[in-house]
Amino acid sequence: MPDRLTSLDLTFLKAESPATPMHVGTVDIFEPPVHGDDGFDYESLVALIRDRIAFVPRYRQRVQQVPGRFAGPVWVDDEEFDITFHVRRSALPRPGTHAQLLELVARIMSRRLDRARPLWEMYLVEGLQGDRFAIIAKSHQALVDGNSTVDIGQVVLDSTAHPRETPTDTWQPAHPPSALELLAGVFADATRHPTAVLELARAEMASLTGSTSVREVLGDVVGSLVAQRHVQESSLHVKTSGQRRFTTVQTDLEDYRTVRAMHGGTVNDVILAVVAGAFRAWMMTRGEGIGPTRSVRAVVPMSIRDDEEEEPTSLGSRVIASTVNLPVGENSPVMRLHQISYQTKVHKDTGRAVSARSLVGIAGFAPTTLHALAARVATATVRPIDDVVITNVPGPQFPLYAAGAPMLASYPVVPLMPGQGLSVGVTSYDGKVSFGLNADRTAMPDLAVFAQCVTDALDELLETTRGSRNRASRGRKKPRGQTGAEGRGRTSGTTKKAGS
């Protein structure tokens, strides 16, 4: 029998609306292939996906409802699967700027996926400056669960410029089950997993009738009363529209390590402190009053290790949601970092935290799957009182390739939750820390200001380390040819070319 969607998968489908598409995306920037004279074009991307899609069979399946909706829908093979429908071609007027690419990303991410087909799309964007190109991918949150399905972005990338060989794909779509077979599957599942089937049936009936239990109604009322004052004070809570605004920031990983070495904590703590400083500065540009106790409640998914595992694997690594109060009311950037480190230490002390080094050691690891898992967890756990979702995924510190084309930068696109105006995705890759800022187009016309505040907040933290570094350098002889800290050449902001 076909696999049935879980209650969590069903929640993502039910929660989707024109204002809140439930897909997660990535924007990857590439240079032409190192080897070969043919370059990389649309046919190259189609061939690459055709060779690798066998590793993610769910990307050739669609959602099929059960007659009468007595149980949750199932995944069935798409008999009319057309790879050219999902892999699309676009171009910018040469020489295409990074700003033009961001505008295209915003428009693509604003559109919902077609429910009648497999829930993913991928775009090849040609015409970028310097003969570069971009690949924009989006997958529905119901599609990627990290167990039976990883994100397609994980299987199309290689660790060398020479693509790995893949077995011949002999896939043929299975005949879709009949109505009687679907109903028989419901009874079979009820025998094996009665609790899960009842939960799915309850969710289906609630979605059809709009009814909820008394406990849920009371819980919503109490939650609304608790959150009302906080929401009124926060400019991050908005009436979400169906249109998006997207921008990026690229910084150097070494800068975060410098701050960590001076003030302690982890690179993740420093990144959260930078985001806290950006929120503080951005709110001040809006003329908001910021008291000393003001904070931004961030849902920050974190990876944990299964109890029986010594090291994580691509199937065993799990993600849980953690709430971090970003202390935007604190004036000192160092104190903001210490307060955040104290909060995240609780997660580390459980003994189940997965280190960045362990994560990037997973075979075939690519950040796209963990961003998708983090978005799933955040969507399932976010509450009205939460202000923002921040996903931070450590990536490999060496180049990745798509059919021989080196990837210069990767920016995550994290979906917006209902009522929230901004989501922040962060990926560290090949010496860079890249921010993907996804915002409601109407509510955040000043998203570029927030992006600038990110780089300013990092500079503010770096400034606190320079005095000590200068004192240390005066105490030892400088090797010949060595440059000072001022020569580190950090690139950041939305006005620079990706990967420069």
Side-chain angles (χ1 to χ4, degrees):
M1 296 302 296
D3 293 334
R4 195 173 305 281
L5 276 72
T6 66
S7 57
L8 182 58
D9 296 335
L10 194 58
T11 298
F12 297 137
L13 292 176
K14 300 303 181 185
E16 191 169 45
S17 71
T20 54
M22 290 288 113
H23 51 252
V24 63
T26 55
V27 183
D28 297 333
I29 312 294
F30 294 85
E31 281 186 329
V34 177
H35 303 287
D37 300 326
D38 297 335
F40 192 101
D41 55 16
Y42 175 73
E43 287 71 25
S44 302
L45 181 58
V46 171
L48 178 62
I49 299 299
R50 185 176 285 116
D51 288 342
R52 306 290 176 86
I53 198 170
F55 294 111
V56 281
R58 187 138 295 165
Y59 276 71
R60 290 189 285 208
Q61 294 183 322
R62 58 179 176 82
V63 176
Q64 174 67 56
Q65 294 290 345
V66 173
R69 296 198 175 187
F70 294 111
V74 296
W75 296 105
V76 299
D77 288 350
D78 184 7
E79 286 191 298
E80 300 178 355
F81 179 76
D82 179 5
I83 196 169
T84 60
F85 174 84
H86 298 275
V87 183
R88 306 178 180 186
R89 188 175 193 173
S90 186
L92 301 175
R94 295 180 184 271
T97 65
H98 193 60
Q100 290 172 328
L101 174 63
L102 298 179
E103 182 64 27
L104 177 62
V105 172
R107 296 186 183 278
I108 289 175
M109 292 299 169
S110 299
R111 299 195 295 263
R112 288 192 292 176
L113 292 161
D114 186 351
R115 291 283 186 92
R117 297 176 180 268
L119 298 173
W120 66 280
E121 293 174 357
M122 186 173 288
Y123 295 77
L124 174 68
V125 183
E126 300 170 304
L128 272 67
Q129 291 175 340
D131 292 328
R132 297 174 178 180
F133 64 92
I135 295 178
I136 304 171
K138 63 180 186 179
S139 300
H140 200 281
Q141 292 186 72
L143 195 64
V144 181
D145 60 12
N147 293 316
S148 59
T149 306
V150 298
D151 189 85
I152 197 169
Q154 179 161 330
V155 300
V156 300
L157 295 174
D158 297 300
S159 57
T160 69
H162 301 282
R164 63 185 184 273
E165 294 185 2
T166 56
T168 303
D169 184 14
T170 59
W171 177 82
Q172 292 292 329
H175 186 72
S178 66
L180 288 177
E181 289 173 329
L182 289 172
L183 291 175
V186 173
F187 291 113
D189 287 347
T191 302
R192 295 191 301 265
H193 310 289
T195 304
V197 172
L198 287 174
E199 178 64 24
L200 284 169
R202 189 197 66 80
E204 281 284 1
M205 294 304 296
S207 67
L208 290 174
T209 63
S211 63
T212 55
S213 66
V214 174
R215 175 181 292 184
E216 289 172 335
V217 172
L218 291 177
D220 290 342
V221 172
V222 173
S224 297
L225 291 175
V226 172
Q228 184 176 8
R229 179 177 178 83
H230 177 80
V231 170
Q232 289 176 345
E233 294 176 349
S234 175
S235 59
L236 292 169
H237 290 270
V238 300
K239 183 179 179 180
T240 311
S241 70
Q243 300 301 316
R244 297 293 178 260
R245 194 182 300 271
F246 183 73
T247 195
T248 62
V249 181
Q250 190 177 78
T251 55
D252 279 347
L253 177 59
E254 190 59 34
D255 289 341
Y256 298 86
R257 290 172 172 168
T258 298
V259 175
R260 178 196 61 184
M262 177 63 63
H263 299 300
T266 65
V267 169
N268 179 63
D269 296 337
V270 180
I271 289 174
L272 291 177
V274 167
V275 176
F279 275 123
R280 174 182 171 85
W282 174 71
M283 290 176 176
M284 293 176 68
T285 65
R286 287 192 161 199
E288 294 187 25
I290 302 177
T293 61
R294 181 75 181 272
S295 65
V296 169
R297 288 179 58 89
V299 177
V300 184
M302 297 182 179
S303 297
I304 63 170
R305 181 181 297 115
D306 281 349
D307 292 334
E308 66 272 13
E309 289 185 321
E310 292 297 327
E311 292 295 335
T313 66
S314 57
L315 299 182
S317 184
R318 297 293 184 263
V319 180
I320 61 172
S322 180
T323 301
V324 177
N325 291 310
L326 304 180
V328 299
E330 172 57 54
N331 182 56
S332 167
V334 176
M335 286 303 299
R336 288 196 294 267
L337 174 58
H338 289 330
Q339 291 179 30
I340 290 171
S341 296
Y342 180 80
Q343 295 180 66
T344 60
K345 187 176 183 294
V346 176
H347 175 65
K348 304 183 191 76
D349 289 346
T350 63
R352 301 178 67 199
V354 178
S355 68
R357 182 174 299 177
S358 296
L359 280 175
V360 300
I362 295 174
F365 172 79
T368 53
T369 296
L370 277 180
H371 274 296
L373 295 179
R376 279 172 63 94
V377 168
T379 303
T381 58
V382 71
R383 298 170 296 173
I385 200 173
D386 298 322
D387 297 311
V388 67
V389 172
I390 304 174
T391 66
N392 176 25
V393 174
Q397 297 308 305
F398 52 83
L400 296 177
Y401 301 83
M407 186 172 76
L408 302 178
S410 180
Y411 302 100
V413 187
V414 181
L416 293 184
M417 302 299 107
Q420 293 187 353
L422 174 68
S423 64
V424 180
V426 187
T427 296
S428 56
Y429 163 69
D430 198 20
K432 301 293 182 181
V433 176
S434 302
F435 292 75
L437 307 176
N438 190 29
D440 184 85
R441 190 174 191 88
T442 303
M444 288 198 65
D446 54 349
L447 182 60
V449 175
F450 183 86
Q452 182 60 50
C453 290
V454 171
T455 60
D456 292 344
L458 177 56
D459 285 338
E460 187 180 29
L461 274 169
L462 280 172
E463 190 64 34
T464 66
T465 70
R466 288 184 178 127
S468 177
R469 281 187 292 165
N470 290 338
R471 289 193 297 271
S473 65
R474 288 195 297 268
R476 61 179 183 271
K477 186 176 180 180
K478 192 173 183 180
R480 183 176 299 178
Q482 179 178 326
T483 59
E486 295 78 14
R488 65 184 179 275
R490 181 168 64 89
T491 60
S492 62
T494 60
T495 59
K496 294 185 180 290
K497 292 187 292 184
S500 59

